[in-house]
Amino acid sequence: METLGYSSDAEVIYLAGQNLSTIEWNAFHSFKSLRMLELSIKIISSLDYRTIQGLTNLRGIILLNNSLESLDFRTFQGLKDLAFLTLAGNRLTSIDERLFDDLDNLQTLELSNNRLTKLDERTFNKLENLISLNLDSNKLASLDEKIFQGLTEIIGLSLSNNQLESLDYSIFQDLESLTNLQLNNNQLTLLDNRLFRNAKNLKWIFLNDNKLTTLPFDIFEGLGNLGRLLLQNNQITSLNYLTFNMICLKELDLSNNPIKVNQMTLNGCVFVY
């Protein structure tokens, strides 16, 4: 038996660029072996919550570059083995806090290039195995202090190209595995000295293209693994000589700030600006 041109025992279905305006709610119900589903059809603005339900063997779902404006909280129910989910490039303005509740084994979640303005503090709190979370290029102006609570396995977190003006000092306190943090291209003006205190595995921090004027002298204290720190295109006018104490960076970019530093040597590390 064939449906949508695929045999009912297909493990991968790829529908991208097809001239489809709607997907019938039961279009995939005969594909019990399905492990990967991609629906990148651009003009889909809604998805019946029953469309994916029952496909319990799914490991990956790609709903990339559609026109989805909302998703029913039941859309991903029962998908306990799902590891990869991308909803990037849609028109989502909000996410029901229950949407990801059943995704116990999700490792990668892509939500970039949407229109998200706010996230409930419970949105991600069931995703205990999440490794990568991408929230780039939304319209987030603030984040609840508990939004990343419990995400102890996350390695990569990207919040670039939003409208964030400030961050609560405790927002990253559970992210003990975090190595890559991207906060560039926001509206940040001031950072609390405790912001990175528990994220001791950080290797990369991108803070470029914000509105920072200074940095607390002890903000990077304890980050012995930090190797790359980008601070270019801010409004930094001065830095305490202790700011980079106890860290040995391979790359530090302070270009296009109103601070003039030629060369600084700290703990045997030479930084050229």
Side-chain angles (χ1 to χ4, degrees), residues 27-50:
F28 305 107
H29 284 196
S30 63
F31 298 100
K32 300 303 182 182
S33 301
L34 199 60
R35 296 172 64 87
M36 175 65 73
L37 175 63
E38 176 168 358
L39 299 175
S40 302
I41 306 175
K42 297 186 178 180
I43 55 179
I44 294 179
S45 59
S46 63
L47 191 69
D48 191 292
Y49 76 89
R50 297 170 293 179

PDB file of all heavy atoms in Angstrom, residues 27-50:
ATOM      1  N   ALA A  27      -3.248  11.444   7.584  1.00  0.00           N
ATOM      2  CA  ALA A  27      -2.386  11.155   6.423  1.00  0.00           C
ATOM      3  C   ALA A  27      -1.255  10.186   6.744  1.00  0.00           C
ATOM      4  O   ALA A  27      -0.805   9.446   5.869  1.00  0.00           O
ATOM      5  CB  ALA A  27      -1.816  12.462   5.868  1.00  0.00           C
ATOM      6  N   PHE A  28      -0.788  10.156   7.992  1.00  0.00           N
ATOM      7  CA  PHE A  28       0.390   9.344   8.324  1.00  0.00           C
ATOM      8  C   PHE A  28       0.065   8.170   9.252  1.00  0.00           C
ATOM      9  O   PHE A  28       0.971   7.476   9.703  1.00  0.00           O
ATOM     10  CB  PHE A  28       1.460  10.225   8.976  1.00  0.00           C
ATOM     11  CG  PHE A  28       1.845  11.407   8.149  1.00  0.00           C
ATOM     12  CD1 PHE A  28       1.441  12.687   8.519  1.00  0.00           C
ATOM     13  CD2 PHE A  28       2.581  11.262   6.982  1.00  0.00           C
ATOM     14  CE1 PHE A  28       1.787  13.782   7.749  1.00  0.00           C
ATOM     15  CE2 PHE A  28       2.924  12.353   6.206  1.00  0.00           C
ATOM     16  CZ  PHE A  28       2.518  13.623   6.590  1.00  0.00           C
ATOM     17  N   HIS A  29      -1.180   7.927   9.503  1.00  0.00           N
ATOM     18  CA  HIS A  29      -1.547   6.943  10.522  1.00  0.00           C
ATOM     19  C   HIS A  29      -1.220   5.507  10.137  1.00  0.00           C
ATOM     20  O   HIS A  29      -1.160   4.630  10.997  1.00  0.00           O
ATOM     21  CB  HIS A  29      -3.023   7.091  10.888  1.00  0.00           C
ATOM     22  CG  HIS A  29      -3.280   8.260  11.774  1.00  0.00           C
ATOM     23  ND1 HIS A  29      -4.434   8.433  12.481  1.00  0.00           N
ATOM     24  CD2 HIS A  29      -2.502   9.341  12.070  1.00  0.00           C
ATOM     25  CE1 HIS A  29      -4.374   9.559  13.177  1.00  0.00           C
ATOM     26  NE2 HIS A  29      -3.214  10.127  12.933  1.00  0.00           N
ATOM     27  N   SER A  30      -0.983   5.255   8.868  1.00  0.00           N
ATOM     28  CA  SER A  30      -0.623   3.894   8.452  1.00  0.00           C
ATOM     29  C   SER A  30       0.880   3.647   8.506  1.00  0.00           C
ATOM     30  O   SER A  30       1.335   2.519   8.319  1.00  0.00           O
ATOM     31  CB  SER A  30      -1.132   3.625   7.026  1.00  0.00           C
ATOM     32  OG  SER A  30      -0.512   4.489   6.093  1.00  0.00           O
ATOM     33  N   PHE A  31       1.667   4.690   8.802  1.00  0.00           N
ATOM     34  CA  PHE A  31       3.127   4.573   8.800  1.00  0.00           C
ATOM     35  C   PHE A  31       3.640   4.268  10.209  1.00  0.00           C
ATOM     36  O   PHE A  31       4.271   5.102  10.857  1.00  0.00           O
ATOM     37  CB  PHE A  31       3.762   5.862   8.264  1.00  0.00           C
ATOM     38  CG  PHE A  31       3.397   6.178   6.848  1.00  0.00           C
ATOM     39  CD1 PHE A  31       2.407   7.112   6.565  1.00  0.00           C
ATOM     40  CD2 PHE A  31       4.036   5.550   5.790  1.00  0.00           C
ATOM     41  CE1 PHE A  31       2.063   7.405   5.250  1.00  0.00           C
ATOM     42  CE2 PHE A  31       3.699   5.835   4.477  1.00  0.00           C
ATOM     43  CZ  PHE A  31       2.710   6.764   4.205  1.00  0.00           C
ATOM     44  N   LYS A  32       3.408   3.076  10.678  1.00  0.00           N
ATOM     45  CA  LYS A  32       3.733   2.717  12.058  1.00  0.00           C
ATOM     46  C   LYS A  32       5.235   2.572  12.292  1.00  0.00           C
ATOM     47  O   LYS A  32       5.684   2.577  13.444  1.00  0.00           O
ATOM     48  CB  LYS A  32       3.013   1.422  12.436  1.00  0.00           C
ATOM     49  CG  LYS A  32       1.488   1.507  12.350  1.00  0.00           C
ATOM     50  CD  LYS A  32       0.930   2.625  13.213  1.00  0.00           C
ATOM     51  CE  LYS A  32      -0.588   2.679  13.159  1.00  0.00           C
ATOM     52  NZ  LYS A  32      -1.155   3.801  13.951  1.00  0.00           N
ATOM     53  N   SER A  33       6.021   2.434  11.223  1.00  0.00           N
ATOM     54  CA  SER A  33       7.475   2.282  11.373  1.00  0.00           C
ATOM     55  C   SER A  33       8.218   3.605  11.204  1.00  0.00           C
ATOM     56  O   SER A  33       9.455   3.634  11.242  1.00  0.00           O
ATOM     57  CB  SER A  33       8.003   1.262  10.349  1.00  0.00           C
ATOM     58  OG  SER A  33       7.402   0.002  10.514  1.00  0.00           O
ATOM     59  N   LEU A  34       7.486   4.676  11.032  1.00  0.00           N
ATOM     60  CA  LEU A  34       8.096   5.966  10.716  1.00  0.00           C
ATOM     61  C   LEU A  34       9.013   6.444  11.841  1.00  0.00           C
ATOM     62  O   LEU A  34       8.635   6.468  13.014  1.00  0.00           O
ATOM     63  CB  LEU A  34       6.998   7.004  10.474  1.00  0.00           C
ATOM     64  CG  LEU A  34       7.396   8.270   9.713  1.00  0.00           C
ATOM     65  CD1 LEU A  34       7.922   7.929   8.330  1.00  0.00           C
ATOM     66  CD2 LEU A  34       6.196   9.211   9.609  1.00  0.00           C
ATOM     67  N   ARG A  35      10.253   6.800  11.444  1.00  0.00           N
ATOM     68  CA  ARG A  35      11.238   7.283  12.402  1.00  0.00           C
ATOM     69  C   ARG A  35      11.599   8.759  12.184  1.00  0.00           C
ATOM     70  O   ARG A  35      12.015   9.439  13.124  1.00  0.00           O
ATOM     71  CB  ARG A  35      12.508   6.432  12.330  1.00  0.00           C
ATOM     72  CG  ARG A  35      12.268   4.988  12.740  1.00  0.00           C
ATOM     73  CD  ARG A  35      13.494   4.117  12.480  1.00  0.00           C
ATOM     74  NE  ARG A  35      14.628   4.529  13.286  1.00  0.00           N
ATOM     75  CZ  ARG A  35      14.864   4.100  14.527  1.00  0.00           C
ATOM     76  NH1 ARG A  35      14.028   3.260  15.097  1.00  0.00           N
ATOM     77  NH2 ARG A  35      15.932   4.497  15.180  1.00  0.00           N
ATOM     78  N   MET A  36      11.470   9.233  10.949  1.00  0.00           N
ATOM     79  CA  MET A  36      11.776  10.630  10.638  1.00  0.00           C
ATOM     80  C   MET A  36      10.701  11.203   9.733  1.00  0.00           C
ATOM     81  O   MET A  36      10.361  10.609   8.713  1.00  0.00           O
ATOM     82  CB  MET A  36      13.144  10.742   9.958  1.00  0.00           C
ATOM     83  CG  MET A  36      13.509  12.153   9.488  1.00  0.00           C
ATOM     84  SD  MET A  36      13.712  13.339  10.844  1.00  0.00           S
ATOM     85  CE  MET A  36      15.281  12.783  11.519  1.00  0.00           C
ATOM     86  N   LEU A  37      10.172  12.366  10.106  1.00  0.00           N
ATOM     87  CA  LEU A  37       9.134  13.027   9.321  1.00  0.00           C
ATOM     88  C   LEU A  37       9.519  14.480   9.106  1.00  0.00           C
ATOM     89  O   LEU A  37       9.766  15.215  10.064  1.00  0.00           O
ATOM     90  CB  LEU A  37       7.789  12.951  10.048  1.00  0.00           C
ATOM     91  CG  LEU A  37       6.618  13.710   9.415  1.00  0.00           C
ATOM     92  CD1 LEU A  37       6.284  13.151   8.034  1.00  0.00           C
ATOM     93  CD2 LEU A  37       5.392  13.656  10.321  1.00  0.00           C
ATOM     94  N   GLU A  38       9.589  14.873   7.827  1.00  0.00           N
ATOM     95  CA  GLU A  38       9.821  16.284   7.513  1.00  0.00           C
ATOM     96  C   GLU A  38       8.650  16.834   6.713  1.00  0.00           C
ATOM     97  O   GLU A  38       8.281  16.306   5.667  1.00  0.00           O
ATOM     98  CB  GLU A  38      11.112  16.505   6.728  1.00  0.00           C
ATOM     99  CG  GLU A  38      11.273  17.979   6.327  1.00  0.00           C
ATOM    100  CD  GLU A  38      12.639  18.343   5.801  1.00  0.00           C
ATOM    101  OE1 GLU A  38      13.521  17.465   5.767  1.00  0.00           O
ATOM    102  OE2 GLU A  38      12.823  19.516   5.426  1.00  0.00           O
ATOM    103  N   LEU A  39       8.079  17.925   7.222  1.00  0.00           N
ATOM    104  CA  LEU A  39       7.024  18.663   6.535  1.00  0.00           C
ATOM    105  C   LEU A  39       7.471  20.113   6.446  1.00  0.00           C
ATOM    106  O   LEU A  39       7.265  20.897   7.365  1.00  0.00           O
ATOM    107  CB  LEU A  39       5.695  18.576   7.299  1.00  0.00           C
ATOM    108  CG  LEU A  39       5.099  17.183   7.499  1.00  0.00           C
ATOM    109  CD1 LEU A  39       3.853  17.265   8.384  1.00  0.00           C
ATOM    110  CD2 LEU A  39       4.749  16.554   6.169  1.00  0.00           C
ATOM    111  N   SER A  40       8.136  20.451   5.373  1.00  0.00           N
ATOM    112  CA  SER A  40       8.617  21.815   5.158  1.00  0.00           C
ATOM    113  C   SER A  40       7.979  22.322   3.872  1.00  0.00           C
ATOM    114  O   SER A  40       8.588  22.353   2.808  1.00  0.00           O
ATOM    115  CB  SER A  40      10.149  21.842   5.067  1.00  0.00           C
ATOM    116  OG  SER A  40      10.717  21.316   6.250  1.00  0.00           O
ATOM    117  N   ILE A  41       6.721  22.708   3.985  1.00  0.00           N
ATOM    118  CA  ILE A  41       5.906  22.964   2.798  1.00  0.00           C
ATOM    119  C   ILE A  41       5.557  24.447   2.653  1.00  0.00           C
ATOM    120  O   ILE A  41       4.870  24.861   1.744  1.00  0.00           O
ATOM    121  CB  ILE A  41       4.628  22.083   2.853  1.00  0.00           C
ATOM    122  CG1 ILE A  41       5.026  20.620   3.044  1.00  0.00           C
ATOM    123  CG2 ILE A  41       3.821  22.180   1.586  1.00  0.00           C
ATOM    124  CD1 ILE A  41       3.860  19.682   3.240  1.00  0.00           C
ATOM    125  N   LYS A  42       6.020  25.247   3.592  1.00  0.00           N
ATOM    126  CA  LYS A  42       5.936  26.706   3.557  1.00  0.00           C
ATOM    127  C   LYS A  42       4.536  27.266   3.768  1.00  0.00           C
ATOM    128  O   LYS A  42       4.361  28.222   4.511  1.00  0.00           O
ATOM    129  CB  LYS A  42       6.531  27.273   2.254  1.00  0.00           C
ATOM    130  CG  LYS A  42       8.016  26.990   2.099  1.00  0.00           C
ATOM    131  CD  LYS A  42       8.601  27.687   0.898  1.00  0.00           C
ATOM    132  CE  LYS A  42      10.094  27.420   0.800  1.00  0.00           C
ATOM    133  NZ  LYS A  42      10.721  28.088  -0.354  1.00  0.00           N
ATOM    134  N   ILE A  43       3.520  26.720   3.118  1.00  0.00           N
ATOM    135  CA  ILE A  43       2.207  27.349   3.196  1.00  0.00           C
ATOM    136  C   ILE A  43       1.287  26.701   4.227  1.00  0.00           C
ATOM    137  O   ILE A  43       0.130  27.078   4.354  1.00  0.00           O
ATOM    138  CB  ILE A  43       1.503  27.367   1.818  1.00  0.00           C
ATOM    139  CG1 ILE A  43       1.411  25.951   1.239  1.00  0.00           C
ATOM    140  CG2 ILE A  43       2.217  28.292   0.853  1.00  0.00           C
ATOM    141  CD1 ILE A  43       0.705  25.911  -0.098  1.00  0.00           C
ATOM    142  N   ILE A  44       1.789  25.724   4.978  1.00  0.00           N
ATOM    143  CA  ILE A  44       0.976  25.140   6.035  1.00  0.00           C
ATOM    144  C   ILE A  44       0.901  26.106   7.213  1.00  0.00           C
ATOM    145  O   ILE A  44       1.907  26.455   7.814  1.00  0.00           O
ATOM    146  CB  ILE A  44       1.569  23.799   6.515  1.00  0.00           C
ATOM    147  CG1 ILE A  44       1.501  22.758   5.403  1.00  0.00           C
ATOM    148  CG2 ILE A  44       0.820  23.291   7.741  1.00  0.00           C
ATOM    149  CD1 ILE A  44       2.076  21.420   5.795  1.00  0.00           C
ATOM    150  N   SER A  45      -0.297  26.545   7.549  1.00  0.00           N
ATOM    151  CA  SER A  45      -0.469  27.489   8.649  1.00  0.00           C
ATOM    152  C   SER A  45      -1.029  26.828   9.906  1.00  0.00           C
ATOM    153  O   SER A  45      -1.015  27.423  10.976  1.00  0.00           O
ATOM    154  CB  SER A  45      -1.398  28.641   8.233  1.00  0.00           C
ATOM    155  OG  SER A  45      -2.661  28.143   7.843  1.00  0.00           O
ATOM    156  N   SER A  46      -1.502  25.593   9.768  1.00  0.00           N
ATOM    157  CA  SER A  46      -2.023  24.883  10.932  1.00  0.00           C
ATOM    158  C   SER A  46      -1.783  23.386  10.762  1.00  0.00           C
ATOM    159  O   SER A  46      -1.617  22.894   9.646  1.00  0.00           O
ATOM    160  CB  SER A  46      -3.519  25.152  11.118  1.00  0.00           C
ATOM    161  OG  SER A  46      -4.262  24.672  10.013  1.00  0.00           O
ATOM    162  N   LEU A  47      -1.763  22.699  11.901  1.00  0.00           N
ATOM    163  CA  LEU A  47      -1.530  21.263  11.900  1.00  0.00           C
ATOM    164  C   LEU A  47      -2.457  20.643  12.938  1.00  0.00           C
ATOM    165  O   LEU A  47      -2.372  20.971  14.127  1.00  0.00           O
ATOM    166  CB  LEU A  47      -0.071  20.960  12.250  1.00  0.00           C
ATOM    167  CG  LEU A  47       0.413  19.531  12.040  1.00  0.00           C
ATOM    168  CD1 LEU A  47       0.485  19.192  10.553  1.00  0.00           C
ATOM    169  CD2 LEU A  47       1.784  19.348  12.683  1.00  0.00           C
ATOM    170  N   ASP A  48      -3.339  19.773  12.478  1.00  0.00           N
ATOM    171  CA  ASP A  48      -4.261  19.105  13.388  1.00  0.00           C
ATOM    172  C   ASP A  48      -3.458  18.301  14.413  1.00  0.00           C
ATOM    173  O   ASP A  48      -2.507  17.602  14.058  1.00  0.00           O
ATOM    174  CB  ASP A  48      -5.190  18.175  12.603  1.00  0.00           C
ATOM    175  CG  ASP A  48      -6.346  17.647  13.440  1.00  0.00           C
ATOM    176  OD1 ASP A  48      -6.078  16.851  14.361  1.00  0.00           O
ATOM    177  OD2 ASP A  48      -7.495  18.036  13.179  1.00  0.00           O
ATOM    178  N   TYR A  49      -3.833  18.400  15.672  1.00  0.00           N
ATOM    179  CA  TYR A  49      -3.054  17.737  16.712  1.00  0.00           C
ATOM    180  C   TYR A  49      -3.013  16.228  16.553  1.00  0.00           C
ATOM    181  O   TYR A  49      -2.106  15.557  17.066  1.00  0.00           O
ATOM    182  CB  TYR A  49      -3.581  18.111  18.102  1.00  0.00           C
ATOM    183  CG  TYR A  49      -4.875  17.415  18.502  1.00  0.00           C
ATOM    184  CD1 TYR A  49      -4.857  16.183  19.152  1.00  0.00           C
ATOM    185  CD2 TYR A  49      -6.107  18.003  18.248  1.00  0.00           C
ATOM    186  CE1 TYR A  49      -6.028  15.547  19.526  1.00  0.00           C
ATOM    187  CE2 TYR A  49      -7.287  17.380  18.614  1.00  0.00           C
ATOM    188  CZ  TYR A  49      -7.248  16.150  19.260  1.00  0.00           C
ATOM    189  OH  TYR A  49      -8.415  15.528  19.632  1.00  0.00           O
ATOM    190  N   ARG A  50      -3.954  15.659  15.800  1.00  0.00           N
ATOM    191  CA  ARG A  50      -3.991  14.205  15.601  1.00  0.00           C
ATOM    192  C   ARG A  50      -3.035  13.730  14.504  1.00  0.00           C
ATOM    193  O   ARG A  50      -2.806  12.515  14.368  1.00  0.00           O
ATOM    194  CB  ARG A  50      -5.416  13.781  15.244  1.00  0.00           C
ATOM    195  CG  ARG A  50      -6.431  14.055  16.343  1.00  0.00           C
ATOM    196  CD  ARG A  50      -7.844  13.849  15.823  1.00  0.00           C
ATOM    197  NE  ARG A  50      -8.199  14.843  14.814  1.00  0.00           N
ATOM    198  CZ  ARG A  50      -9.377  14.874  14.173  1.00  0.00           C
ATOM    199  NH1 ARG A  50     -10.281  13.945  14.438  1.00  0.00           N
ATOM    200  NH2 ARG A  50      -9.617  15.809  13.280  1.00  0.00           N
TER     201      ARG A  50
END
